[in-house]
Amino acid sequence: MRTRYNARITALGGYVPEHILTNHELEEMVDTNSEWIVSRTGIKERRIVNDAQVATSDLAVKAVARLLDDAKLGPDAIECVIVATSTPDYIMVSTASVVCEKAGLVNAWGVDSNAACSGFLYALTLGASLIESGRYKNVIVIGADKNSAIINYEDRNTCILFGDGAGAVLLEQTTEEEGLIDNVFKTDGCGKEHLIVQAGGSLNPSSIETINNKLNFISQNGRVVFKAAIEGMTQTCKEVFKRNDISSEDIDWLIPHQANLRIIQSVGDNLNIPIEKVKINIDRYGNTTAATIPLCLWDFKNDFKAGDKLLLTAFGAGFSWGASYLIWGKLRGDA
Ligand code: UT7
């Protein structure tokens, strides 16, 4: 009989740029105030790249370097890399190609996956499928975004929310009943107008007109997205419970996409998961799009122990949303 493999996370790496953009600095840039930002979003500061030469791939490469160090592996040991990003270095040439080159992943092939804030969850399942097939022994899955490249720092609706960052996980084969167990994902383009970068793609190529009309920046209808995010994340988490015959009491840790503290709290409440079990770092990093979940896993990895049940959930542009259920296994670095 063919061996059945699961994909488990065995090492992690994360990186945020050193430069901190505080709420007080934003008060000087747009009509806002720190009290409003903290009370409405939970964000106290975010990290942004302040060097024009630094791209999304550079954030990803730093996260990969930390992951390899954590794994005690050389870059030549990696077979595949998937980069979830909606801020690729280039429209053509995948960010994964650049990451393979800069990180020295000489034996890996790589591909990008773009599903905005849900990108990492989707990429995690794609990477896990390669391992479950038995064809690959390891895959690095990265969530990385340099949001500052597509933010209009004159638009208070968006500039207070987003930050830059990258997180990476190493997936490896296991025959144990652990690792990524299940997911419920949804994608529906009818939500696209509410959270979008209008120009720079094939429909509206960049032009002087798109630049002048600020169509190359993120625009968002916050209230619509807010409501849809709570509903979408709650519903897909509940479907995961049902499919796997588990309940909120079985969950040790909820790792939600970090878009707004009030969204996170509402999802936790809807699922009856107490706040002590919810991992939150939005206060320090803001919304780093595809990077929020891997950055959270990396930030809090010392709190997770083998056998813990983790529920990961995200909502983002598209709309795209979903939930993944995983059982934490031993990391390479564990004694
Ligand atoms: O990661 C992808 C998914 N993205 C999300 O999940 C984001 C979802 N949306 C949100 O997080 C929230 O909708 C925002 C944080 C974007 C906005 O918060 P809100 O509580 O929905 O605010 P609102 O848009 O309903 O605006 C409330 C008030 C308005 O004033 P009035 O009309 O009540 O006088 C706004 O003009 O707050 C005002 N406002 C601000 N005030 C100070 C809006 N933005 C700001 C601001 N500073 N930055």
Side-chain angles (χ1 to χ4, degrees):
M1 210 177 69
R2 223 174 128 183
T3 311
R4 196 173 164 271
Y5 294 110
N6 281 328
R8 72 165 185 201
I9 294 174
T10 58
L12 301 96
Y15 177 77
V16 288
E18 276 171 29
H19 182 73
I20 297 173
L21 177 61
T22 65
N23 289 348
H24 294 295
E25 283 172 275
L26 284 163
E27 288 175 356
E28 306 293 314
M29 297 157 71
V30 289
D31 179 17
T32 191
N33 61 82
S34 183
E35 197 274 326
W36 189 96
I37 300 173
V38 174
S39 66
R40 305 306 290 169
T41 72
I43 302 169
K44 293 183 182 145
E45 59 187 40
R46 69 289 295 137
R47 303 298 187 96
I48 62 164
V49 168
N50 64 348
D51 175 349
Q53 298 309 309
V54 172
T56 296
S57 64
D58 298 297
L59 309 180
V61 165
K62 288 229 162 72
V64 167
R66 287 180 174 167
L67 176 152
L68 292 173
D69 193 43
D70 188 36
K72 306 264 177 304
L73 283 176
D76 56 344
I78 304 304
E79 296 178 326
C80 176
V81 57
I82 305 178
V83 182
T85 185
S86 40
T87 51
D89 290 19
Y90 308 102
I91 288 261
M92 186 191 281
V93 173
S94 72
T95 304
S97 297
V98 185
V99 169
C100 284
E101 182 208 5
K102 287 184 182 168
L105 308 180
V106 289
N107 293 316
W109 63 275
V111 65
D112 289 3
S113 113
N114 177 355
C117 297
S118 307
F120 177 79
L121 278 198
Y122 288 12
L124 191 66
T125 287
L126 295 174
S129 304
L130 294 173
I131 295 212
E132 288 157 10
S133 75
R135 275 204 238 160
Y136 292 86
K137 291 195 170 53
N138 67 47
V139 176
I140 290 180
V141 180
I142 303 170
D145 272 300
K146 182 187 162 188
N147 287 313
S148 58
I150 54 167
I151 288 293
N152 173 5
Y153 284 96
E154 293 175 353
D155 176 11
R156 71 175 184 171
N157 292 313
T158 51
C159 74
I160 58 151
L161 298 172
F162 292 93
D164 301 338
V169 302
L170 178 67
L171 292 175
E172 290 190 89
Q173 280 183 343
T174 175
T175 51
E176 305 288 319
E177 195 53 24
E178 61 185 20
L180 187 63
I181 304 296
D182 194 21
N183 56 260
V184 172
F185 293 156
K186 314 265 178 181
T187 309
D188 187 346
C190 73
K192 64 183 179 301
E193 75 203 58
H194 300 300
L195 178 52
I196 192 166
V197 177
Q198 292 277 5
S202 62
L203 183 63
N204 288 315
S206 296
S207 64
I208 290 169
E209 201 186 340
T210 67
I211 304 285
N212 287 342
N213 291 326
K214 309 210 181 303
L215 299 180
N216 293 71
F217 293 125
I218 295 182
S219 66
Q220 175 173 236
N221 182 341
R223 277 186 212 184
V224 173
V225 179
F226 187 94
K227 198 162 163 272
I230 294 170
E231 276 173 20
M233 291 199 274
T234 302
Q235 180 220 349
T236 47
C237 286
K238 285 186 174 170
E239 271 187 59
V240 164
F241 287 168
K242 210 164 158 195
R243 279 162 57 109
N244 294 277
D245 201 18
I246 53 172
S247 72
S248 52
E249 279 106 79
D250 296 306
I251 297 301
D252 295 291
W253 305 107
L254 175 66
I255 320 290
H257 170 53
Q258 312 277 311
N260 185 313
L261 183 59
R262 290 184 296 135
I263 295 177
I264 294 170
Q265 287 165 335
S266 296
V267 172
D269 286 350
N270 290 347
L271 297 173
N272 285 323
I273 296 180
I275 200 74
E276 307 80 62
K277 291 186 172 185
V278 184
K279 291 305 187 192
I280 298 168
N281 59 12
I282 190 172
D283 49 324
R284 287 175 284 141
Y285 304 147
N287 182 349
T288 55
T289 307
T292 61
I293 289 179
L295 268 177
C296 232
L297 292 172
W298 173 69
D299 244 2
F300 296 109
K301 68 175 180 162
N302 292 336
D303 293 349
F304 311 145
K305 54 183 194 312
D308 279 359
K309 296 186 169 74
L310 274 63
L311 183 63
L312 283 42
T313 184
F315 185 94
F319 293 144
S320 59
W321 69 104
S324 294
Y325 168 46
L326 66 89
I327 300 178
W328 200 251
K330 255 183 143 182
L331 299 177
R332 275 178 163 260
D334 289 346

